[in-house]
Short mmCIF file of all heavy atoms in Angstrom, two decimals:
data_model
loop_
_atom_site.label_atom_id
_atom_site.label_comp_id
_atom_site.label_asym_id
_atom_site.label_seq_id
_atom_site.Cartn_x
_atom_site.Cartn_y
_atom_site.Cartn_z
N GLU A 116 32.12 -25.57 3.42
CA GLU A 116 33.43 -26.23 3.33
C GLU A 116 34.40 -25.51 2.35
O GLU A 116 33.88 -24.77 1.43
CB GLU A 116 33.29 -27.69 2.79
CG GLU A 116 32.46 -28.61 3.72
CD GLU A 116 33.19 -28.88 5.04
OE1 GLU A 116 34.43 -29.07 4.96
OE2 GLU A 116 32.48 -28.89 6.13
N GLU A 117 35.64 -25.73 2.42
CA GLU A 117 36.69 -25.01 1.55
C GLU A 117 36.25 -25.28 0.08
O GLU A 117 35.98 -26.41 -0.25
CB GLU A 117 38.07 -25.53 1.80
CG GLU A 117 39.08 -24.53 1.17
CD GLU A 117 40.45 -24.91 1.65
OE1 GLU A 117 40.63 -25.32 2.74
OE2 GLU A 117 41.38 -24.60 0.83
N ASN A 118 36.26 -24.20 -0.68
CA ASN A 118 35.95 -24.34 -2.22
C ASN A 118 34.42 -24.69 -2.39
O ASN A 118 34.09 -25.11 -3.41
CB ASN A 118 36.80 -25.36 -3.04
CG ASN A 118 38.23 -25.01 -2.89
OD1 ASN A 118 38.62 -23.78 -2.90
ND2 ASN A 118 39.15 -25.93 -2.75
N GLU A 119 33.67 -24.55 -1.40
CA GLU A 119 32.17 -24.88 -1.46
C GLU A 119 31.46 -23.77 -0.79
O GLU A 119 31.38 -23.73 0.39
CB GLU A 119 31.87 -26.20 -0.79
CG GLU A 119 30.57 -26.75 -1.13
CD GLU A 119 30.27 -27.09 -2.47
OE1 GLU A 119 31.14 -27.65 -3.20
OE2 GLU A 119 29.18 -26.81 -2.98
N PRO A 120 30.94 -22.91 -1.70
CA PRO A 120 30.34 -21.65 -1.02
C PRO A 120 29.04 -21.98 -0.17
O PRO A 120 28.72 -21.23 0.70
CB PRO A 120 30.01 -20.76 -2.16
CG PRO A 120 29.92 -21.62 -3.33
CD PRO A 120 30.81 -22.81 -3.05
N ALA A 121 28.36 -22.96 -0.65
CA ALA A 121 27.00 -23.25 0.04
C ALA A 121 27.21 -24.30 1.18
O ALA A 121 28.08 -25.23 1.04
CB ALA A 121 25.98 -23.95 -0.89
N SER A 122 26.45 -24.03 2.23
CA SER A 122 26.53 -24.88 3.42
C SER A 122 25.11 -25.26 3.86
O SER A 122 24.23 -24.41 3.80
CB SER A 122 27.32 -24.20 4.45
OG SER A 122 27.13 -25.03 5.72
N ALA A 123 24.92 -26.55 4.16
CA ALA A 123 23.60 -26.98 4.63
C ALA A 123 23.67 -27.40 6.15
O ALA A 123 22.80 -27.93 6.72
CB ALA A 123 23.11 -28.18 3.79
N ASP A 124 24.86 -26.85 6.69
CA ASP A 124 25.04 -27.10 8.22
C ASP A 124 24.02 -26.40 8.85
O ASP A 124 23.77 -25.12 8.61
CB ASP A 124 26.40 -26.81 8.58
CG ASP A 124 27.47 -27.70 8.04
OD1 ASP A 124 27.22 -28.75 7.54
OD2 ASP A 124 28.71 -27.17 7.90
N ARG A 125 23.31 -26.94 9.82
CA ARG A 125 22.39 -26.12 10.65
C ARG A 125 23.09 -25.49 11.75
O ARG A 125 23.81 -26.08 12.64
CB ARG A 125 21.29 -27.19 11.21
CG ARG A 125 20.51 -27.85 10.10
CD ARG A 125 19.49 -28.89 10.55
NE ARG A 125 18.50 -28.38 11.40
CZ ARG A 125 17.38 -27.76 10.90
NH1 ARG A 125 17.26 -27.62 9.54
NH2 ARG A 125 16.46 -27.29 11.65
N ARG A 126 23.03 -24.17 11.72
CA ARG A 126 23.60 -23.35 12.75
C ARG A 126 22.66 -22.44 13.48
O ARG A 126 21.83 -21.79 12.92
CB ARG A 126 24.76 -22.44 12.07
CG ARG A 126 25.78 -23.21 11.25
CD ARG A 126 26.62 -24.03 12.25
NE ARG A 126 27.70 -24.71 11.67
CZ ARG A 126 28.86 -24.92 12.13
NH1 ARG A 126 29.10 -24.66 13.32
NH2 ARG A 126 29.71 -25.43 11.40
N ARG A 127 22.84 -22.41 14.88
CA ARG A 127 21.99 -21.58 15.57
C ARG A 127 22.62 -20.14 15.65
O ARG A 127 23.82 -19.93 15.78
CB ARG A 127 22.02 -22.11 17.01
CG ARG A 127 21.42 -23.42 17.23
CD ARG A 127 19.95 -23.42 17.33
NE ARG A 127 19.49 -22.69 18.45
CZ ARG A 127 18.31 -21.98 18.41
NH1 ARG A 127 17.53 -22.05 17.41
NH2 ARG A 127 17.97 -21.31 19.44
N VAL A 128 21.80 -19.12 15.27
CA VAL A 128 22.15 -17.72 15.36
C VAL A 128 21.15 -16.79 15.86
O VAL A 128 19.98 -17.24 16.12
CB VAL A 128 22.47 -17.20 13.87
CG1 VAL A 128 23.66 -18.11 13.16
CG2 VAL A 128 21.17 -17.44 13.00
N GLU A 129 21.69 -15.66 16.15
CA GLU A 129 20.69 -14.58 16.63
C GLU A 129 20.80 -13.46 15.47
O GLU A 129 22.02 -13.10 15.18
CB GLU A 129 21.07 -13.98 17.89
CG GLU A 129 20.30 -12.87 18.49
CD GLU A 129 20.85 -12.46 19.84
OE1 GLU A 129 21.86 -11.72 19.93
OE2 GLU A 129 20.30 -12.83 20.84
N LEU A 130 19.84 -13.06 14.90
CA LEU A 130 19.91 -12.15 13.70
C LEU A 130 19.23 -10.82 14.13
O LEU A 130 18.17 -10.82 14.89
CB LEU A 130 19.24 -12.63 12.59
CG LEU A 130 19.71 -13.90 12.00
CD1 LEU A 130 18.90 -14.27 10.69
CD2 LEU A 130 21.23 -13.79 11.48
N GLU A 131 19.86 -9.58 13.81
CA GLU A 131 19.12 -8.38 13.87
C GLU A 131 18.68 -8.14 12.43
O GLU A 131 19.55 -8.09 11.54
CB GLU A 131 20.06 -7.24 14.32
CG GLU A 131 20.32 -7.31 15.87
CD GLU A 131 21.09 -6.17 16.29
OE1 GLU A 131 20.86 -5.04 15.92
OE2 GLU A 131 22.06 -6.40 17.03
N VAL A 132 17.50 -8.08 12.21
CA VAL A 132 16.93 -8.05 10.73
C VAL A 132 16.01 -6.86 10.49
O VAL A 132 15.37 -6.32 11.44
CB VAL A 132 16.20 -9.29 10.40
CG1 VAL A 132 17.13 -10.51 10.58
CG2 VAL A 132 14.89 -9.47 11.30
N LEU A 133 15.95 -6.42 9.30
CA LEU A 133 14.96 -5.47 8.75
C LEU A 133 14.23 -6.13 7.73
O LEU A 133 14.62 -6.94 6.96
CB LEU A 133 15.78 -4.33 8.12
CG LEU A 133 16.72 -3.47 8.98
CD1 LEU A 133 17.42 -2.43 8.14
CD2 LEU A 133 15.95 -2.81 10.10
N HIS A 134 12.91 -5.71 7.58
CA HIS A 134 12.00 -6.25 6.55
C HIS A 134 11.62 -5.13 5.57
O HIS A 134 11.07 -4.11 6.22
CB HIS A 134 10.86 -6.94 7.10
CG HIS A 134 11.07 -7.94 8.25
ND1 HIS A 134 11.65 -9.22 7.93
CD2 HIS A 134 11.14 -7.86 9.60
CE1 HIS A 134 11.81 -9.83 8.97
NE2 HIS A 134 11.57 -9.15 10.15
N ARG A 135 11.95 -5.28 4.47
CA ARG A 135 11.61 -4.15 3.42
C ARG A 135 10.48 -4.52 2.57
O ARG A 135 10.56 -5.56 1.88
CB ARG A 135 12.95 -3.91 2.61
CG ARG A 135 12.83 -2.90 1.63
CD ARG A 135 14.22 -2.61 0.91
NE ARG A 135 14.00 -1.74 -0.17
CZ ARG A 135 13.97 -2.24 -1.52
NH1 ARG A 135 14.13 -3.55 -1.80
NH2 ARG A 135 13.88 -1.43 -2.54
N ASP A 136 9.51 -3.67 2.55
CA ASP A 136 8.41 -3.99 1.64
C ASP A 136 8.77 -3.70 0.18
O ASP A 136 9.20 -2.48 -0.11
CB ASP A 136 7.27 -3.07 2.07
CG ASP A 136 5.94 -3.23 1.31
OD1 ASP A 136 5.82 -4.22 0.42
OD2 ASP A 136 4.94 -2.48 1.41
N THR A 137 8.64 -4.71 -0.71
CA THR A 137 8.94 -4.46 -2.08
C THR A 137 7.72 -4.39 -2.98
O THR A 137 7.91 -4.20 -4.18
CB THR A 137 9.84 -5.67 -2.60
OG1 THR A 137 9.04 -6.84 -2.33
CG2 THR A 137 11.09 -5.73 -1.75
N GLY A 138 6.50 -4.31 -2.33
CA GLY A 138 5.40 -4.22 -3.14
C GLY A 138 4.87 -5.46 -3.60
O GLY A 138 3.79 -5.55 -4.17
#
Side-chain angles (χ1 to χ4, degrees):
E116 297 293 322
E117 191 169 334
N118 298 325
E119 190 66 38
S122 170
D124 296 338
R125 298 176 64 83
R126 300 296 184 148
R127 300 276 303 147
V128 297
E129 179 181 79
L130 300 177
E131 286 183 48
V132 301
L133 300 173
H134 306 284
R135 181 175 168 258
D136 184 7
T137 59

